[in-house]
């Protein structure tokens, strides 16, 4: 075979380092971007934090920030345009953002899953005080819980120190405290603990039982219990503020000791029969048991609060919804003017500094482009979902990523990156940008309804139902059909479960 040279012309798409960085920054969350900026500040001396004092306008990168491909591009880039600052020159990013308008065995050792049916929304009905049930699959901003002043173990030890118990009993109680879990339950059986202490001189099993009784008398009531029944029984026997007659107290004790399963299933007919009580007594017992704390150690559990900072903020001004970037998430970084001056004075001798200056300007430009893209996408979302901002989620319109991509001339994957882990603060709460996108369901008129709007309608229907005769999934489907929305019963069940709304039998009350 004869060898020959051939010339072929072809086109290839090559991701330059600058483009790769731009794509990577676009998909980062706010926290990840801050970490990226901190790493860049630590590694690149050409970058520095901008002073808090200075311009109230974010300095955007202009044409002279774009790098040429010529051999002297690094030195052209070193001619840093001075930012409009009162405290000195330097190219800065991010002082503020520009605004723009556009059934389990309940007697076993407790496990949380085994009593979910009883304690699910124990503090009250699954509906909140405003009459709306809690949202499910979309995250909503919650109350920030205050951190407990001390741990459960420390709280119990403080009480132990002031008791008149002997040192031997105190040591046994301290030993039991070590076996409590975060919910305040004793995680092992006393018999097993006693067997491990056989080497202790003259330790009787009764002493260990007495130590446990002492522990169970401490605050919070129910601590040291070995299962849910014992926990609730301790609280019923020790609380003096419960408005119960002896007969009602006995009925409550019988329920928590033997019939928690029936209570969880809301089988009130069978409960009345096995307890031989009337409906009024059962209703009182139900209310009292719901007022108890099934997890006594919960209030001492340290909660790691999740603080989500919105990337964009939507406000109504002059009758129009306006979108602006949140200035708190804008990184305040700029080119180090001292090193830039060195480059200007020693052209041809800068070496590594010229490369680092180029990398710094790339970072500034790509960060600016990231926020510009987020703002553009957010503006487009607000324009398409105007009904949501005016009337709430019940007016949400069907929307897919491709619609926003075609509108802005972006690739669908770019819109996906922009809307992932980016948050918008709206009058209806803090939501992820992806919240505005969802599937659709056909209507009788040939139109489409957003799945988010259907969920809102389901919540509205259930929140207004008669708790003594709650509506079933089939009835919900029929009611939606009367409004022109064709939804199957199984679809209603799927949406209801995603909203954490219990089934019809679990919503029934006395």
């Amino acid at each position: 075979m004869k060898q020959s040279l051939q010339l072929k012309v072809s086109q290839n798409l090559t991701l330059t380092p600058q483009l790769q960085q731009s794509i990577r920054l676009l998909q980062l969350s706010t926290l990840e971007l801050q970490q990226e900026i901190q790493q860049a500040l630590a590694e690149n001396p050409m970058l520095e934090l901008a002073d808090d004092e200075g311009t109230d306008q974010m300095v955007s990168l202009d044409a002279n920030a774009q790098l040429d491909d010529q051999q002297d591009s690094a030195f052209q880039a070193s001619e840093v345009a001075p930012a409009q600052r009162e405290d000195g020159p330097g190219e800065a990013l991010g002082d503020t953002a520009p605004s723009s308008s556009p059934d389990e065995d309940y007697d076993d050792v407790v496990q949380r899953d085994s009593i979910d049916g009883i304690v699910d929304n124990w503090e009250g009905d699954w509906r909140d005080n405003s009459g709306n049930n809690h949202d499910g699959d979309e995250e909503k901003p919650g109350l920030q819980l205050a951190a407990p002043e001390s741990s459960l173990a420390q709280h119990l030890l403080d009480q132990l120190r002031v008791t008149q118990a002997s040192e031997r009993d105190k040591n046994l109680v301290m030993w039991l405290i070590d076996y409590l879990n975060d919910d305040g339950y004793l995680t092992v059986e006393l018999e097993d603990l006693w067997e491990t202490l056989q080497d202790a001189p003259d330790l009787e099993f009764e002493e260990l039982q007495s130590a446990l009784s002492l522990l169970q008398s401490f605050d919070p009531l129910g601590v040291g219990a070995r299962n849910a029944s014992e926990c609730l029984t301790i609280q019923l026997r020790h609380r003096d503020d419960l408005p119960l007659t002896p007969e009602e107290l006995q009925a409550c004790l019988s329920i928590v000791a033997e019939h928690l399963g029936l209570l969880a299933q809301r089988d009130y007919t069978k409960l009345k029969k096995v307890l031989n009580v009337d409906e009024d007594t059962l209703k009182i017992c139900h209310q009292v048991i719901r007022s108890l704390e099934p997890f006594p150690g919960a209030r001492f559990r340290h909660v790691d609060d999740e603080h989500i900072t919105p990337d964009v903020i939507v406000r109504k001004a002059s009758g129009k919804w306006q979108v602006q970037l949140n200035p708190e998430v804008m990184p305040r970084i700029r080119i180090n003017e001292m090193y830039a001056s060195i480059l200007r004075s020693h052209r041809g001798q800068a070496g590594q500094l010229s490369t680092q200056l180029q990398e710094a300007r790339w970072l500034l430009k790509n960060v600016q482009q990231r926020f510009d893209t987020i703002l553009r996408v957010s503006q487009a979302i607000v324009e398409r979902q105007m009904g949501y901002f005016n009337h709430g989620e019940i007016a949400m319109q069907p929307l897919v990523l491709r619609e926003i991509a075609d509108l802005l001339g972006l690739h669908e994957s770019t819109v996906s990156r922009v809307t992932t882990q980016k948050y918008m603060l709206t009058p209806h709460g803090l939501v992820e940008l992806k919240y505005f996108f969802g599937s659709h369901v056909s209507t009788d008129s040939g139109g489409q309804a957003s799945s988010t709007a259907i969920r809102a309608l389901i919540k509205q229907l259930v929140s207004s139902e008669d708790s003594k005769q709650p509506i079933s999934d089939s009835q919900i489907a029929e009611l939606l059909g009367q409004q022109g929305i064709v939804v199957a019963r199984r679809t209603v069940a799927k949406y209801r479960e995603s909203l954490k709304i219990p089934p019809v039998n679990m919503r029934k009350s006395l």
Side-chain angles (χ1 to χ4, degrees):
M1 186 175 180
K2 186 177 179 180
Q3 294 181 346
S4 62
L5 294 176
Q6 294 180 342
L7 182 63
K8 288 185 177 182
V9 179
S10 62
Q11 290 182 336
N12 293 312
L13 179 61
T14 302
L15 292 178
T16 64
Q18 184 179 4
L19 183 57
Q20 291 177 10
Q21 184 187 61
S22 177
I23 294 174
R24 185 167 55 85
L25 292 179
L26 191 60
Q27 65 188 9
L28 295 180
S29 66
T30 298
L31 179 60
E32 292 169 337
L33 177 65
Q34 292 173 352
Q35 295 172 345
E36 184 80 10
I37 296 298
Q38 290 298 324
Q39 182 177 352
L41 287 169
E43 296 176 353
N44 192 339
M46 296 303 302
L47 287 171
E48 67 174 359
L49 286 174
D51 297 334
D52 291 337
E53 301 177 1
T55 179
D56 292 332
Q57 301 258 341
M58 182 181 69
V59 180
S60 301
L61 294 175
D62 52 20
N64 75 0
Q66 301 179 1
L67 299 175
D68 294 330
D69 292 329
Q70 301 175 1
Q71 187 174 6
D72 61 343
S73 61
F75 299 106
Q76 292 177 359
S78 67
E79 298 295 332
V80 182
Q84 299 175 2
R85 298 177 58 88
E86 298 176 0
D87 56 342
E91 187 172 5
L93 176 68
D95 281 335
T96 59
S99 62
S100 162
S101 53
D103 254 9
E104 303 286 349
D105 186 355
Y106 293 91
D107 292 327
D108 289 341
V109 176
V110 69
Q111 295 188 12
R112 184 176 293 271
D113 291 341
S114 68
I115 53 176
D116 273 349
I118 308 167
V119 300
D120 188 20
N121 309 299
W122 192 281
E123 295 298 331
D125 203 347
W126 58 274
R127 304 177 183 89
D128 60 23
N129 293 330
S130 63
N132 299 320
N133 59 305
H134 298 294
D135 202 3
D137 52 351
E138 287 87 23
E139 293 184 359
K140 299 292 184 183
L143 295 176
Q144 300 297 333
L145 303 179
E149 296 181 356
S150 64
S151 65
L152 174 62
Q154 186 60 50
H155 182 68
L156 295 173
L157 290 174
D158 290 342
Q159 298 175 72
L160 180 62
R161 292 190 184 97
V162 298
T163 63
Q164 301 298 321
S166 64
E167 287 299 320
R168 181 184 179 95
D169 290 339
K170 288 183 178 181
N171 289 333
L172 289 175
V173 173
M174 292 174 60
W175 193 56
L176 292 174
I177 291 175
D178 290 338
Y179 286 92
L180 297 179
N181 62 16
D182 290 340
D183 293 324
Y185 284 88
L186 190 64
T187 56
V188 293
E189 294 294 335
L190 279 187
E191 290 79 3
D192 297 335
L193 289 177
W194 185 54
E195 290 180 3
T196 63
L197 290 175
Q198 289 303 304
D199 295 338
D202 302 326
L203 178 64
E204 299 293 338
F205 182 69
E206 289 73 15
E207 292 182 83
L208 201 56
Q209 288 179 315
S210 298
L212 179 59
S213 298
L214 177 60
L215 175 61
Q216 291 178 348
S217 68
F218 289 168
D219 176 75
L221 285 177
V223 69
R226 286 154 289 186
N227 52 57
S229 295
E230 185 178 18
C231 177
L232 300 179
T233 299
I234 292 171
Q235 295 179 54
L236 285 172
R237 292 190 180 279
H238 287 79
R239 283 185 57 176
D240 298 328
D241 59 328
L242 298 177
L244 295 174
T245 65
E247 293 77 13
E248 293 168 345
L249 176 60
Q250 187 59 43
C252 292
L253 290 172
S254 180
I255 291 175
V256 299
E258 303 173 8
H259 306 297
L260 274 179
L262 292 177
L263 183 64
Q265 298 167 21
R266 303 203 175 195
D267 193 344
Y268 303 125
T269 302
K270 191 171 182 179
L271 267 177
K272 287 189 293 184
K273 183 177 179 180
V274 297
L275 296 174
N276 193 24
V277 295
D278 56 23
E279 184 171 318
D280 291 338
T281 301
L282 185 58
K283 184 181 296 187
I284 292 173
C285 290
H286 187 204
Q287 293 173 348
V288 168
I289 293 174
R290 285 168 61 90
S291 70
L292 304 179
E293 175 53 68
F295 303 114
R299 64 186 174 97
F300 294 92
R301 191 181 302 119
H302 290 276
V303 178
D304 294 329
D305 296 341
E306 293 185 5
H307 298 274
I308 299 178
T309 303
D311 296 87
V312 292
I313 301 172
V314 180
R315 296 188 179 95
K316 196 169 189 178
S318 302
K320 296 182 179 180
W321 292 104
Q322 295 185 345
V323 187
Q324 72 173 47
L325 291 170
N326 183 4
E328 293 184 6
V329 303
M330 298 291 292
R332 292 175 171 83
I333 55 175
R334 65 182 179 185
I335 299 296
N336 188 306
E337 180 60 23
M338 182 182 69
Y339 287 112
S341 299
I342 294 176
L343 279 177
R344 288 194 292 268
S345 303
H346 300 81
R347 291 197 175 194
Q349 304 175 16
Q352 183 67 19
L353 279 180
S354 62
T355 302
Q356 291 175 328
L357 176 61
Q358 185 182 54
E359 293 174 351
R361 294 179 67 83
W362 278 358
L363 179 64
L364 290 176
K365 178 183 177 181
N366 288 332
V367 170
Q368 179 68 60
Q369 185 176 2
R370 174 187 185 272
F371 285 102
D372 289 344
T373 306
I374 291 175
L375 182 60
R376 291 180 61 205
V377 171
S378 300
Q379 290 171 338
I381 290 174
V382 171
E383 292 171 1
R384 297 300 296 269
Q385 296 290 6
M386 198 67 69
Y388 167 82
F389 293 95
N390 289 325
H391 307 291
E393 60 183 359
I394 200 170
M396 187 80 79
Q397 297 296 315
L399 184 64
V400 294
L401 297 175
R402 180 174 295 278
E403 294 182 50
I404 298 298
D406 294 342
L407 180 65
L408 300 179
L410 301 173
H411 194 276
E412 191 173 343
S413 63
T414 301
V415 179
S416 178
R417 293 187 181 97
V418 170
T419 55
T420 301
Q421 293 185 303
K422 314 299 188 302
Y423 294 88
M424 176 184 290
L425 182 61
T426 76
H428 306 292
L430 181 67
V431 295
E432 189 179 11
L433 293 184
K434 276 196 179 300
Y435 170 73
F436 296 98
F437 300 85
S439 58
H440 62 270
V441 174
S442 300
T443 63
D444 282 345
S445 60
Q448 296 178 342
S450 167
S451 58
T452 303
I454 296 174
R455 289 187 180 93
L457 285 172
I458 293 174
K459 288 193 296 183
Q460 191 178 79
L461 290 172
V462 175
S463 64
S464 60
E465 70 182 1
D466 184 356
S467 60
K468 293 184 178 180
Q469 292 181 335
I471 56 178
S472 64
D473 294 342
S474 298
Q475 291 173 313
I476 294 175
E478 292 176 2
L479 292 172
L480 291 175
Q482 294 174 8
Q483 301 185 34
I485 301 174
V486 182
V487 183
R489 184 204 60 80
R490 61 180 178 273
T491 303
V492 171
K494 180 182 71 173
Y495 288 165
R496 175 182 54 75
E497 291 171 356
S498 70
L499 293 169
K500 301 295 188 295
I501 299 178
V504 60
N505 65 308
M506 297 297 294
R507 303 200 306 271
K508 186 176 182 180
S509 63
L510 290 169

